[in-house]
Amino acid sequence: MTVNVTTPTNTPATPTTTPTPPTGAPATPAKRSRDALAVFGGAPAVPRRLRSLEWPVITDADRQAVLATLDGPLVSNVNGESPVSRLEQTWAARCGVDWCVGTSNGTTALTTALAALDIGPGDEVIVPALSFIASGLAPLHQMAVPVFADIDPVTFTLDPESVRSLIGPRTAAILPVHLHGHPAPMDDLLALARRHRLAVVEDAAQAHGALYRGRPVGSLGDAGAFSLQVTKNLPTCGEGGLLVTDDAELARKARLVRQFGEVIEAGKDRDYVSYRLGWNSKLSSVQAAFTLSQLDRFDGYEAAREEQVTRFLGRLAGLPGLTVPTVAEGSTHAWHILRFRLDPAAAGLDGITPGAFRAALHRLLRAEGVPMSRYQLMPLSDQKVFAERLGFGNGQPWAAAGDDGPARAVAAPVTRQVIDDSLTLQKRHLNPGAGPALDAYADGFEKVWNNLPDVLRLARGYSNE
Ligand SMILES: Cc1ncc(COP(=O)(O)O)c(C=O)c1O
């Protein structure tokens, strides 16, 4: 389908802040009807009452659980039964592993895992170019060098072929990220790791409960790291993290790393001796108690999300030029973030770039009350801290690794394309009662797609994007 547009008659109601202001107008005169785009004065598709959806959902049970911790020991290094140890046991069982170590956040779960695996100066860790900054910072915190690999265009997780091309003599580990809740291709990555004797630390910060060939993510590599940060699928009332592993020795080292290198054992007095380099990355009882209480409802929330997101994506799947997220065979998706790819040519819109199409849709959908946003504005490799080798200063840790040339170039073309041509839906759909809002979001998408001539007109104003 090709859409032709003539005679602009009006300007959008909301001024734009993006480089080239749109000069277009609705193909039909704007009227405050349900058909006219909200940006041109029509009634928004998403009514006000569906605009705010709380996450996390906090119940009286959560409040009681947190309050009860005030009657117990307040220090977070209790060496026996505590909310932290109960959460650790519960999450380990749920992941099907023997050990879980609570940490102060998801980033410290990653760094603790890397430290316990003795990854440090001189080592390289392969990380996907599309992820949250913490996935790339974690190796750096250990003075190891992150090397960024490209991603798969459909699952947005590590491309094993790109990983393979980057393995060199200094490679010590692969850090697959189960981005947005979709499992990374662990069979291929684990095979590469075995062949080259590399450690595998899974970043499962966004993927609680997702399964890969029937096994929970986080339990497939040497260690897995989860975030309990308040926006995550399994949240705490603030910051927290969980490290899981089936390796008793790795778990023992992780507990040392978590607390100043000290050995803390139930029934034994603390000796205040540092047996290895450690940090203070403990999880507090308040945080653990809140998450334990949330875990009672986690399965129900997951089931509601699966049903609602599936229905939502089903409604959008037929819109031309919109690629909805899918699930690879053998995996389940935690649906933490929904990423939609956008193709103007497939929508029948000629002469505009994917970036311009994305910018126009971003504005139009938000005006309709559909809270679309971008997730990551650049590949991790372009972040100043890596690209300019800011690190610890003086070019460290790259210099310590004997790597004093320009940063190892990673073109990451797929990552760049995905960042340019996609929008995401975050957080709102996590609430188990999000069904009516998702239905209204789908109305908003359909309405915008019913007005493709206006999309084209607006997109032309974003031609520099
Ligand atoms: C993929 C990924 N890795 C790591 C983290 C870090 O977790 P935290 O914020 O708990 O430190 C996050 C958090 O957003 C994340 O999304």
Side-chain angles (χ1 to χ4, degrees):
M1 173 176 57
T2 300
V3 178
N4 295 312
V5 179
T6 48
T7 39
T9 54
N10 204 347
T11 46
T14 320
T16 180
T17 52
T18 36
T20 317
T23 53
T28 50
K31 53 183 184 308
R32 193 152 178 88
S33 76
R34 291 205 51 85
D35 299 334
L37 288 173
V39 84
F40 295 122
V46 183
R48 293 237 163 262
R49 65 189 160 77
L50 295 176
R51 295 282 176 96
S52 61
L53 279 165
E54 66 165 348
W55 187 260
V57 177
I58 300 175
T59 65
D60 283 345
D62 300 334
R63 291 189 179 88
Q64 287 312 317
V66 166
L67 280 176
T69 63
L70 300 180
D71 297 324
L74 289 173
V75 289
S76 47
N77 58 359
V78 186
N79 61 6
E81 169 83 4
S82 72
V84 173
S85 68
R86 282 197 294 280
L87 175 61
E88 289 173 339
Q89 283 155 19
T90 309
W91 192 246
R94 187 166 177 121
C95 290
V97 297
D98 285 343
W99 306 97
C100 175
V101 180
T103 58
S104 49
N105 54 59
T107 311
T108 52
L110 284 171
T111 54
T112 302
L114 293 169
L117 284 158
D118 296 315
I119 287 163
D123 291 331
E124 289 180 352
V125 178
I126 298 180
V127 177
L130 184 66
S131 187
F132 182 66
I133 186 78
S135 313
L137 288 181
L140 213 53
H141 289 163
Q142 299 311 120
M143 292 199 75
V145 169
V147 173
F148 298 102
D150 211 352
I151 57 156
D152 177 84
V154 177
T155 65
F156 313 124
T157 60
L158 266 180
D159 169 11
E161 189 46 40
S162 179
V163 173
R164 194 196 55 71
S165 72
L166 291 168
I167 294 173
R170 290 198 281 258
T171 311
I174 306 174
L175 197 151
V177 181
H178 305 300
L179 196 72
H180 303 342
H182 192 291
M186 293 305 292
D187 282 352
D188 290 348
L189 297 173
L190 289 168
L192 276 175
R194 263 192 304 275
R195 197 171 320 136
H196 296 275
R197 297 171 167 276
L198 309 175
V200 174
V201 175
E202 297 172 68
D203 182 339
Q206 301 186 359
H208 314 73
L211 301 177
Y212 180 81
R213 307 214 185 287
R215 292 173 60 194
V217 297
S219 70
L220 303 149
D222 296 282
F226 294 88
S227 168
L228 303 176
Q229 191 261 344
V230 69
T231 63
K232 298 298 189 293
N233 287 25
L234 178 63
T236 185
C237 48
E239 307 281 337
L242 296 168
L243 180 168
V244 295
T245 181
D246 237 352
D247 180 335
E249 178 58 8
L250 200 153
R252 186 189 70 79
K253 285 183 178 174
R255 285 193 297 271
L256 266 69
V257 168
R258 169 175 70 171
Q259 188 172 339
F260 309 117
E262 295 179 50
V263 175
I264 308 288
E265 275 178 22
K268 285 199 188 146
D269 285 342
R270 187 176 171 187
D271 65 5
Y272 291 95
V273 174
S274 280
Y275 293 91
R276 61 174 292 143
L277 176 59
W279 285 258
N280 181 3
S281 310
K282 300 189 293 293
L283 178 67
S284 85
S285 288
V286 170
Q287 256 64 60
F290 184 92
T291 299
L292 264 174
S293 179
Q294 288 273 326
L295 259 179
D296 289 341
R297 308 192 301 279
F298 181 73
D299 288 336
Y301 286 3
E302 261 200 316
R305 197 172 300 136
E306 178 67 32
E307 194 222 304
Q308 288 161 4
V309 168
T310 305
R311 189 175 73 230
F312 174 56
L313 298 181
R315 270 189 70 186
L316 302 187
L319 298 180
L322 180 75
T323 304
V324 302
T326 50
V327 191
E329 206 186 319
S331 290
T332 68
H333 203 308
W335 302 124
H336 179 62
I337 289 175
L338 312 180
R339 185 181 286 274
F340 300 87
R341 295 197 67 189
L342 307 159
D343 178 352
L349 305 185
D350 294 330
I352 54 167
T353 62
F357 189 38
R358 183 249 309 142
L361 288 170
H362 194 176
R363 180 158 174 218
L364 293 171
L365 286 165
R366 285 192 78 94
E368 295 300 334
V370 187
M372 302 305 286
S373 59
R374 299 185 73 189
Y375 181 84
Q376 301 309 313
L377 302 178
M378 66 185 90
L380 288 185
S381 45
D382 284 7
Q383 290 274 3
K384 277 178 176 293
V385 64
F386 308 121
E388 295 178 19
R389 297 183 159 204
L390 301 181
F392 288 85
N394 298 326
Q396 302 293 3
W398 293 268
D403 180 1
D404 53 6
R408 194 192 292 195
V410 269
V414 179
T415 301
R416 287 179 199 285
Q417 205 179 338
V418 165
I419 288 173
D420 189 45
D421 73 10
S422 63
L423 289 172
T424 65
L425 189 63
Q426 301 179 45
K427 201 171 150 184
R428 310 287 176 90
H429 63 285
L430 298 181
N431 186 307
L438 290 174
D439 288 341
Y441 296 170
D443 294 342
F445 271 86
E446 285 168 358
K447 186 175 160 192
V448 169
W449 254 258
N450 283 336
N451 288 278
L452 283 176
D454 291 335
V455 179
L456 179 60
R457 192 187 316 277
L458 195 57
R460 284 194 177 133
Y462 290 104
S463 54
N464 293 335
E465 285 269 327

